[in-house]
């Protein structure tokens, strides 16, 4: 399960350089060029860490940092990037909620070391899977749809986690029964899975009758679609 990093940087050269180094270290990456776009990207992807430039158009990096903390996401590390190198600028950034403050110009390998250290300090909170605004957090037993909690039964949660962990992989009904009922000695009917899928779609799909996330593959089973 790869960890998702959000880069918020309006300079395309710097943003591209950071992207290359993050991909090299096997992170998933999402980008934003200003503070407004960053809010949308944050809610849609629930990143494990944010690399945040301060001098952004529309919504400044400082405002975005405060917004993240006001949403209650204190567990998400934020590494600020800035050309402001004065000590009082660094102190102000750290006081408003940043976990680290890196001045420009910076060494990309040093930045990656800061990323690794911040994620390591964050512990296990980022064991989660996110796609297009839907996030499942197995350790917390929680599902969020565009940052709003979704109430699932234990079987619905297990089913969704199985599918999201294996995006675009088709599971037969028999395979899903084995995932949900591994120790059940009674016969579980295929239509039990169909019923779980129907209820799950009602909770996570914009149009349950025309699902985009959990799709039926005729004659085979179900998959969680990301394309």
């Amino acid at each position: 399960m790869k960890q998702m990093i959000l880069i918020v940087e309006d300079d395309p050269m710097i943003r591209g350089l950071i992207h290359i180094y993050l991909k090299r270290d096997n992170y998933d990456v999402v980008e934003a060029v200003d503070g407004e776009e960053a809010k949308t990207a944050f809610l849609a992807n629930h990143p494990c860490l944010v690399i945040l430039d301060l001098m952004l158009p529309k919504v400044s990096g400082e405002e975005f940092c405060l917004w993240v903390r006001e949403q209650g996401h204190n567990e998400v590390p934020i590494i600020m990037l800035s050309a402001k190198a004065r000590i009082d600028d660094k102190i102000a950034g750290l006081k408003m909620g940043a976990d680290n403050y890196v001045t420009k110009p910076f060494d990309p390998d040093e930045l990656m070391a800061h990323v690794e250290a911040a994620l390591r300090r964050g512990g296990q909170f980022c064991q989660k899977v996110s796609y297009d605004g839907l996030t499942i957090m197995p350790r917390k037993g929680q599902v969020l749809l565009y940052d709003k909690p979704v109430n699932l039964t234990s079987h619905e949660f297990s089913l969704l986690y199985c599918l999201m962990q294996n995006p675009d992989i088709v599971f037969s009904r028999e395979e899903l029964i084995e995932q949900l009922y591994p120790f059940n000695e009674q016969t579980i009917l295929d239509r039990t899975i169909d019923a779980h899928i129907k209820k799950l779609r009602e909770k996570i799909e914009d149009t349950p009758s025309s699902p985009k996330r959990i799709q039926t593959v005729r004659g085979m089973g179900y998959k969680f679609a990301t394309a």
Side-chain angles (χ1 to χ4, degrees):
M1 193 185 303
K2 292 183 180 180
Q3 293 171 305
M4 172 72 73
I5 311 294
L6 170 60
I7 308 170
V8 189
E9 168 65 63
D10 71 329
D11 187 317
M13 292 185 65
I14 295 176
R15 192 171 66 250
L17 178 65
I18 298 171
H19 190 129
I20 289 169
Y21 273 77
L22 287 171
K23 282 292 189 181
R24 181 202 68 180
D25 289 353
N26 205 35
Y27 295 108
D28 279 334
V29 181
V30 64
E31 300 181 8
V33 300
D34 59 59
E36 285 186 6
E37 192 174 295
K39 290 182 180 181
T40 301
F42 187 92
L43 293 176
N45 297 281
H46 284 274
C48 297
L49 180 142
V50 179
I51 298 174
L52 176 65
D53 183 27
L54 294 185
M55 300 176 71
L56 296 170
K58 297 184 180 179
V59 174
S60 71
E62 290 93 342
E63 289 177 89
F64 176 75
C65 180
L66 291 171
W67 175 84
V68 170
R69 297 311 186 213
E70 286 168 359
Q71 304 305 301
H73 294 293
N74 296 316
E75 79 282 2
V76 181
I78 296 175
I79 298 176
M80 286 183 172
L81 290 180
S82 179
K84 300 176 182 178
R86 294 167 46 191
I87 292 297
D88 55 350
D89 290 323
K90 295 180 181 180
I91 292 172
L94 294 170
K95 281 187 174 180
M96 73 177 59
D99 296 83
N100 210 327
Y101 192 105
V102 177
T103 55
K104 299 177 180 179
F106 58 89
D107 181 277
D109 284 317
E110 182 182 354
L111 178 60
M112 293 307 104
H114 285 303
V115 167
E116 185 179 335
L119 290 171
R120 190 166 56 245
R121 286 195 301 273
Q124 301 300 314
F125 94 92
C126 207
Q127 290 196 358
K128 61 187 177 184
V129 187
S130 295
Y131 292 104
D132 192 28
L134 182 66
T135 299
I136 187 166
M137 294 174 279
R139 285 185 174 269
K140 292 184 176 181
Q142 188 175 16
V143 174
L144 300 176
L145 183 58
Y146 294 108
D147 221 31
K148 294 182 179 179
V150 179
N151 294 318
L152 301 182
T153 67
S154 59
H155 287 322
E156 290 166 358
F157 187 95
S158 298
L159 179 58
L160 181 62
Y161 185 52
C162 173
L163 294 170
M164 289 186 71
Q165 264 196 313
N166 301 277
D168 301 309
I169 301 297
V170 180
F171 284 83
S172 69
R173 290 171 176 81
E174 293 76 17
E175 289 172 326
L176 292 173
I177 286 171
E178 190 154 329
Q179 288 284 334
L180 267 62
Y181 304 94
F183 306 111
N184 199 314
E185 296 179 358
Q186 296 179 344
T187 300
I188 305 297
L189 300 176
D190 286 357
R191 63 172 176 264
T192 301
I193 294 298
D194 296 339
H196 288 318
I197 292 287
K198 182 177 184 293
K199 291 178 181 177
L200 194 50
R201 283 172 170 166
E202 290 171 354
K203 296 178 181 181
I204 68 169
E205 298 282 1
D206 294 333
T207 308
S209 59
S210 181
K212 292 183 178 180
R213 292 186 169 94
I214 299 179
Q215 296 184 358
T216 303
V217 181
R218 190 176 296 278
M220 296 178 67
Y222 297 101
K223 71 173 182 178
F224 188 90
T226 60

